[in-house]
Amino acid sequence: MDDFGKDIGLLTRSTGDDKMSVISKLFFILFVAISALTATIALRPVGQLPEKPLNEDGYYALTVARNLADGYWFSYDRESKANGFQPLFTMLCAVPHLISGDNVEVALRLVLVLHWVVFISSGLLAGLIAKRLSQEGSSGTIWITGVLYLCGSFSFISHFNGLETGFALFMYLASWFACAHLDLASVRHRCCLGIILGLLVLVRIDAAIFVIIFSAVQVLRNRLEGVISLKGPIVSIGFISLLVSSPWWLYNVIEFNAIVPTSALAQQEWGFFLSRLDEVAVAVSQVVIPWIHLNRFDGPAAAFLRVA
């Protein structure tokens, strides 16, 4: 936890540190400027508010959030109960509707502000993680990484689509950051990590697979290192995560007689077709080069960039 204090202290002292290089100062200014620029997405004219980067999938989740705020519980039509959405971020999006009342315009602007806060926080977390991995101890690493994160068109679209995607990225970063600073030999720290992982599952249900794999890898690594005494504690992290996310699982079982949401029951074709290679290339390119959102373009140039 001492490293955590140093990281946060470095972040808060960075603007007044005489030893900060010119490049570090430049990227700090860029980070602030980009943060301010992206905040204007919530100030768009009312006719443009529902446009891109918000998408039609986000409309469903935001409809459930509005109905939740109006007292209709989890419902898309104010009559039927629903579970085809990710719970935690949808509940957070109900808060702007509670604040704004019947003013849909204000509610949508506040939802975009919520997206923006998560977006900027994710950039800061990515910077703190990069600084730790580099073992450089420089605030410049934080701001350079933060700028790269905020400038990625793919990350921007993921954070402002009306869905939980950006919040899931934030929670994955928070989990990574917590793992780097928490001592798993401490009961209190294990509880903190278990709560964070449980919240991650509530943000994105399929993250339960990640939690299971994470726990299994930790147990295996400790076994290989001969730290058998931590096997029980590692398992307890998974149990705490399950406990935190259990209300959602119980809701599905009680209301729908299934542990998974209805959206997870959709059929998927597993056949291999050559036409899918382009989709694979797009998906890989978005992750590898998030600064070029290639699925917005088509033609030989885009295909060349994907192969490159």
Side-chain angles (χ1 to χ4, degrees):
M1 289 297 288
D2 291 339
D3 291 338
F4 175 78
K6 291 178 182 178
D7 286 349
I8 299 301
L10 184 62
L11 184 64
T12 56
R13 292 195 309 268
S14 56
T15 57
D17 191 349
D18 295 334
K19 297 181 180 179
M20 180 189 291
S21 68
V22 174
I23 294 179
S24 298
K25 291 182 179 179
L26 174 62
F27 274 93
F28 170 74
I29 294 172
L30 282 174
F31 185 91
V32 174
I34 295 170
S35 299
L37 185 63
T38 53
T40 60
I41 193 172
L43 303 176
R44 295 188 296 178
V46 62
Q48 297 178 6
L49 277 179
E51 300 296 330
K52 297 288 184 180
L54 293 175
N55 61 32
E56 63 277 6
D57 290 337
Y59 174 79
Y60 178 86
L62 293 177
T63 300
V64 174
R66 184 181 62 188
N67 291 336
L68 177 62
D70 290 341
Y72 292 95
W73 199 231
F74 295 133
S75 176
Y76 59 88
D77 60 359
R78 302 197 169 194
E79 294 181 3
S80 307
K81 291 184 178 179
N83 69 342
F85 58 92
Q86 305 296 337
L88 185 54
F89 191 71
T90 301
M91 288 188 284
L92 287 177
C93 287
V95 176
H97 290 282
L98 284 172
I99 296 173
S100 61
D102 295 331
N103 194 323
V104 179
E105 176 190 343
V106 173
L108 194 52
R109 293 189 189 279
L110 291 176
V111 166
L112 289 172
V113 170
L114 176 61
H115 276 302
W116 178 80
V117 171
V118 173
F119 181 52
I120 302 305
S121 301
S122 299
L124 287 174
L125 264 181
L128 288 170
I129 292 171
K131 195 274 298 184
R132 183 175 180 83
L133 291 176
S134 68
Q135 297 181 347
E136 183 180 307
S138 169
S139 61
T141 305
I142 299 174
W143 304 122
I144 292 172
T145 305
V147 167
L148 290 174
Y149 187 95
L150 299 187
C151 286
S153 60
F154 181 55
S155 58
F156 176 82
I157 291 172
S158 297
H159 274 277
F160 290 94
N161 56 10
L163 295 167
E164 79 296 331
T165 318
F167 197 27
L169 288 173
F170 171 78
M171 289 304 302
Y172 275 114
L173 288 168
S175 301
W176 191 344
F177 188 75
C179 286
H181 291 84
L182 296 179
D183 179 13
L184 297 186
S186 166
V187 175
R188 182 165 59 91
H189 289 185
R190 291 199 302 269
C191 290
C192 289
L193 182 56
I195 291 172
I196 292 174
L197 292 175
L199 292 175
L200 170 61
V201 173
L202 289 176
V203 172
R204 181 81 189 180
I205 295 302
D206 50 15
I209 300 173
F210 167 79
V211 174
I212 294 172
I213 295 175
F214 169 82
S215 301
V217 168
Q218 293 300 316
V219 170
L220 179 61
R221 187 180 71 175
N222 291 331
R223 181 176 291 276
L224 293 176
E225 294 176 354
V227 190
I228 309 299
S229 59
L230 281 181
K231 179 179 179 181
I234 295 297
V235 173
S236 68
I237 293 175
F239 176 77
I240 294 172
S241 172
L242 176 62
L243 190 64
V244 171
S245 60
S246 61
W248 180 248
W249 305 117
L250 290 174
Y251 169 74
N252 281 277
V253 171
I254 294 172
E255 297 293 342
F256 299 93
N257 295 319
I259 196 170
V260 296
T262 53
S263 57
L265 300 177
Q267 294 183 353
Q268 182 172 352
E269 190 173 25
W270 292 92
F272 179 80
F273 305 101
L274 291 178
S275 60
R276 291 187 169 183
L277 290 179
D278 184 62
E279 297 178 6
V280 172
V282 169
V284 172
S285 64
Q286 283 181 342
V287 175
V288 176
I289 23 178
W291 304 277
I292 305 177
H293 198 56
L294 291 176
N295 70 340
R296 293 299 185 90
F297 308 98
D298 200 3
F304 174 78
L305 283 172
R306 290 165 189 160
V307 172

